[in-house]
Amino acid sequence: MILEHLDRIKDGANDVYSLTNLSKYIEKNLYLEGKRYQFGDKYGFQAAIINDDSRVTNTVKPAQIGMTTATMAYILAAASTQKKFNSIYSLPTSNDAQKLVTTKLDPLIQGSPELKRILDYHVDNNELKKLGNNFIFIRGSRSETAALSISADALVADEIDRSDPDTLKQFRSRLQASELQIIKQFSTPTIEGVGIAKEAETSKRYRHMGKCACCGNVWLPTYHTDIIIPGYGGDLKEITKTSIKDVQWQKARWNCPSCGKDPQLHPSTLQWVCENVQDNYEAHTYYVSPVTACLVLKPAYLVRTSTEFNTRSEWANQTLGETCEEENEQIVLTDIDNAEVEQNLDSTEIHYFGADMGIFCAVSIGRMTQEGLMVVVHRELVPLANFEKRRLELMRKYKCIISVHDTQPYVTEIMRICDMDTNAYGAIFTTTKTTEMYTLQEKLENPEEGRLNLRMLKINRTVALDAIRDMFKERKILMAKTEKSDNFKDQYVSLKRVQHFVKDELTFQWVKTDKEDHMMFSLLYLYLAIKLRGRTQGWTALGSVPLVSKYVAKANI
């Protein structure tokens, strides 16, 4: 006890610990499962990441490699050694936050005499801890009061791909008054352009280079090209749960591309190398790969687990720490290429109109054949100032009988359109859990009740976009190719279907990447306008026209 007290006096007098050497404090003062906390060779990469001196540090990682415990130790060490270091630790849900406190945070504190000594037991619960003069806030990103009344110097965001991005923005805003404004965020990745992968795009990116113990070759090893199984010459992707018994997967090993021998990878021979040195980003991103954790994620384990997941993409995310997506789950450029045809799809039959509102409003016009083929005959972007005039021109030209428009943020314009056209509808997205694609709300204006004159579609976003994806996959969408088609392609694939927790329930949602998506939503509104066929009013001149087209166009093969 006396020696420990003298050590504390010595460390305090010399101001030994800064934010760039907290791993030393952790190894000296923290205990994990009854043993002194040690990074060692297995987890030495964690020390390098938490000691990083950049203001923003991202970590792209596989699951279960100890980053949660390491960053938890980091904020405990910072709270214990720094004069002012209030921090927020964020997880996807409030349940996740409570479990973290119970299984990781409290055991670290209670098992470490130094932390127990400075813990304020009057401020010690599942949402807030006080060590010395510093506070640690623990929050789920999907809590309704997650970011209220919190001011901090640092944010640690755990599993940001599963977290609510809007709440994370609020958490980051809570750092504004601090001189430090430190952000450390990490996650198992999902797909490109989302979550941690998106954060990595605007950072200096570091990867672990390996060095062969036999020939000295330095390269970037990957599972896909540098793991071999003796006696097996096929593609590793072809190994399945039923065929793994036929290969010597237990003898899988890394393979040096230079000498063809086992490079005997070891953390002591690895080196972090920045792939974009010239970029002047302040953030640093570390890619933790099976090479980084080579003493934990061994080749045999990687091969075996590749056969145990429901999808290849989930395995790549969880085990390799790589972005990956299943083509059958997403809308991809191949789907758009298959849908576009270089032929005139115009017809004298009736059509439907979908518009996504914005500074430039995306318009899609089409019809449905008896075979269930949605034929898109016209697409264009219309300046908002000219939208109502251009809409009437297009409605007349293509004999459009029903139109659906994005209501937000131009409610006044959509109300005016609904006043003039009894077959025009506004549309909003809802968070309903039902499997219904949409519900229809038709209300007349009532100023006394504050009711607007809007015919409104309340759309289940996930169900509706899933339906559009399925139509693309089944080649039930044809779109007339135009000179501007190439400019529209990215807008159809910018939305990505990813897993999310909604009130602690795992579900799928379509999330926006950093690309435009107006054409995709105008196509969705067109699809919904077609589904409203049979509800038309006032089109007596076209009363005898069939609502479903008999026209059949030949798809690309």
Side-chain angles (χ1 to χ4, degrees):
M1 277 302 270
I2 296 176
L3 290 177
E4 290 177 358
H5 178 66
L6 292 174
D7 280 344
R8 287 197 297 270
I9 294 175
K10 179 181 177 182
D11 290 345
N14 295 331
D15 198 16
V16 170
Y17 300 109
S18 69
L19 294 176
T20 60
N21 68 356
L22 287 179
S23 62
K24 292 182 180 180
Y25 178 89
I26 292 170
E27 291 191 314
K28 182 176 180 179
N29 294 285
L30 269 63
Y31 287 79
L32 181 64
E33 297 177 350
K35 299 178 182 179
R36 195 180 292 274
Y37 198 120
Q38 294 292 321
F39 293 102
D41 286 337
K42 270 190 176 182
Y43 299 104
F45 62 90
Q46 297 174 352
I49 293 172
I50 65 175
N51 287 338
D52 183 275
D53 62 356
S54 62
R55 187 182 70 82
V56 180
T57 309
N58 308 310
T59 307
V60 184
K61 67 174 191 68
Q64 302 300 317
I65 49 88
M67 282 305 301
T68 294
T69 302
T71 50
M72 199 81 261
Y74 164 80
I75 63 169
L76 289 171
S80 302
T81 60
Q82 306 304 301
K83 293 180 180 179
K84 184 178 181 298
F85 195 90
N86 296 322
S87 58
I88 303 170
Y89 199 105
S90 164
L91 288 105
T93 71
S94 56
N95 277 352
D96 290 332
Q98 291 177 11
K99 290 176 184 177
L100 172 83
V101 172
T102 303
T103 62
K104 289 185 170 62
L105 182 59
D106 281 346
L108 273 173
I109 295 174
Q110 297 303 321
S112 305
E114 177 63 12
L115 298 184
K116 285 181 67 176
R117 183 185 67 82
I118 62 174
L119 176 68
D120 186 338
Y121 286 92
H122 297 97
V123 188
D124 179 22
N125 55 60
N126 284 345
E127 292 190 346
L128 182 62
K129 306 283 184 183
K130 185 179 180 183
L131 279 78
N133 295 319
N134 294 315
F135 293 94
I136 299 174
F137 301 89
I138 306 99
R139 290 289 191 273
S141 71
R142 300 184 185 279
S143 167
E144 292 181 0
T145 59
L148 297 180
S149 303
I150 293 176
S151 179
D153 302 288
L155 167 65
V156 174
D158 190 339
E159 293 297 344
I160 70 170
D161 278 53
R162 290 170 45 216
S163 298
D164 184 280
D166 292 329
T167 303
L168 289 181
K169 289 178 183 177
Q170 293 181 44
F171 285 148
R172 294 180 188 117
S173 72
R174 300 301 175 181
L175 308 180
Q176 289 177 173
S178 171
E179 293 182 2
L180 296 175
Q181 299 184 16
I182 292 172
I183 298 174
K184 289 188 181 291
Q185 48 196 12
F186 59 98
S187 185
T188 298
T190 49
I191 58 180
E192 288 291 343
V194 172
I196 196 70
K198 184 175 181 179
E199 295 291 330
E201 291 174 2
T202 52
S203 68
K204 287 191 172 182
R205 298 178 291 275
Y206 291 84
R207 300 181 189 270
H208 251 147
M209 301 291 284
K211 183 177 182 180
C212 178
C214 300
C215 68
N217 178 45
V218 177
W219 88 110
L220 182 65
T222 71
Y223 173 88
H224 310 288
T225 59
D226 300 307
I227 283 184
I228 63 171
I229 299 173
Y232 179 75
D235 192 324
L236 293 178
K237 291 181 180 179
E238 296 173 359
I239 299 176
T240 65
K241 201 165 189 175
T242 55
S243 68
I244 193 171
K245 68 181 186 332
D246 301 321
V247 300
Q248 301 180 65
W249 61 272
Q250 297 94 334
K251 297 182 179 179
R253 65 169 178 83
W254 290 102
N255 185 65
C256 173
S258 178
C259 67
K261 297 179 181 179
D262 186 342
Q264 300 176 29
L265 295 178
H266 189 271
S268 62
T269 63
L270 304 180
Q271 181 180 0
W272 288 110
V273 175
C274 180
E275 68 180 27
N276 57 329
V277 180
Q278 302 303 320
D279 292 340
N280 191 28
Y281 294 121
E282 69 166 343
H284 291 176
T285 295
Y286 292 89
Y287 288 88
V288 176
S289 69
V291 174
T292 304
C294 59
L295 298 184
V296 181
L297 305 176
K298 298 183 179 180
Y301 170 81
L302 300 177
V303 174
R304 175 174 61 79
T305 55
S306 72
T307 69
E308 297 176 348
F309 285 80
N310 292 328
T311 64
R312 189 80 178 177
S313 61
E314 187 180 1
W315 168 76
N317 297 157
Q318 297 290 325
T319 308
L320 302 184
E322 296 177 356
T323 56
C324 189
E325 59 187 15
E326 299 290 321
E327 281 201 5
N328 63 334
E329 290 290 329
Q330 310 292 343
I331 299 171
V332 296
L333 286 175
T334 302
D335 298 322
I336 311 306
D337 291 335
N338 290 335
E340 290 188 330
V341 293
E342 292 186 1
Q343 64 185 100
N344 186 357
L345 301 178
D346 289 356
S347 167
T348 58
E349 300 175 68
I350 61 172
H351 290 80
Y352 304 84
F353 183 103
D356 186 59
M357 305 300 289
I359 301 300
F360 286 91
C361 305
V363 171
S364 294
I365 297 173
R367 62 186 184 275
M368 186 75 77
T369 71
Q370 291 178 337
E371 293 75 21
L373 189 69
M374 186 162 68
V375 181
V376 183
V377 301
H378 182 79
R379 295 173 287 167
E380 72 170 272
L381 294 175
V382 181
L384 179 63
N386 192 42
F387 176 74
E388 292 180 60
K389 178 182 177 182
R390 181 58 176 158
R391 174 185 175 276
L392 290 175
E393 294 172 354
L394 293 171
M395 294 282 285
R396 294 190 186 102
K397 178 179 178 180
Y398 291 100
K399 298 181 181 178
C400 298
I401 61 171
I402 298 178
S403 60
V404 175
H405 318 76
D406 176 23
T407 302
Q408 299 293 342
Y410 302 106
V411 178
T412 302
E413 287 80 356
I414 303 306
M415 284 178 58
R416 187 162 54 241
I417 289 171
C418 287
D419 279 337
M420 298 181 65
D421 183 351
T422 57
N423 297 315
Y425 295 81
I428 60 172
F429 292 112
T430 65
T431 56
T432 177
K433 288 185 177 181
T434 67
T435 56
E436 292 179 322
M437 185 177 297
Y438 65 89
T439 56
L440 181 59
Q441 175 182 298
E442 296 186 271
K443 291 184 178 180
L444 297 177
E445 183 176 8
N446 189 329
E448 293 181 359
E449 297 180 7
R451 194 163 63 196
L452 303 177
N453 181 28
L454 266 180
R455 288 170 294 281
M456 184 74 71
L457 282 179
K458 294 184 176 180
I459 305 167
N460 185 323
R461 192 171 186 267
T462 301
V463 172
L465 288 169
D466 281 353
I468 294 293
R469 176 205 59 193
D470 292 344
M471 291 191 70
F472 271 118
K473 297 300 181 184
E474 296 167 11
R475 296 198 179 187
K476 289 186 176 180
I477 296 178
L478 285 186
M479 299 188 292
K481 198 168 187 178
T482 68
E483 293 180 355
K484 295 184 178 180
S485 292
D486 289 343
N487 296 332
F488 297 153
K489 282 186 177 181
D490 284 345
Q491 297 193 26
Y492 292 108
V493 299
S494 66
L495 292 168
K496 297 297 182 181
R497 192 175 189 267
V498 299
Q499 286 184 332
H500 265 294
F501 276 89
V502 178
K503 294 183 178 179
D504 295 338
E505 181 179 337
L506 185 61
T507 183
F508 282 94
Q509 291 182 355
W510 289 86
V511 300
K512 179 180 174 63
T513 59
D514 55 357
K515 298 177 182 177
E516 298 293 337
D517 53 17
H518 301 299
M519 271 299 164
M520 180 63 190
F521 281 108
S522 74
L523 182 67
L524 174 64
Y525 297 135
L526 166 61
Y527 175 67
L528 293 168
I530 292 172
K531 292 186 77 66
L532 292 174
R533 60 185 183 271
R535 302 188 61 88
T536 54
Q537 303 176 44
W539 267 75
T540 54
L542 291 173
S544 62
V545 179
L547 294 179
V548 179
S549 171
K550 295 181 180 179
Y551 179 83
V552 179
K554 186 177 180 181
N556 287 349
I557 304 299

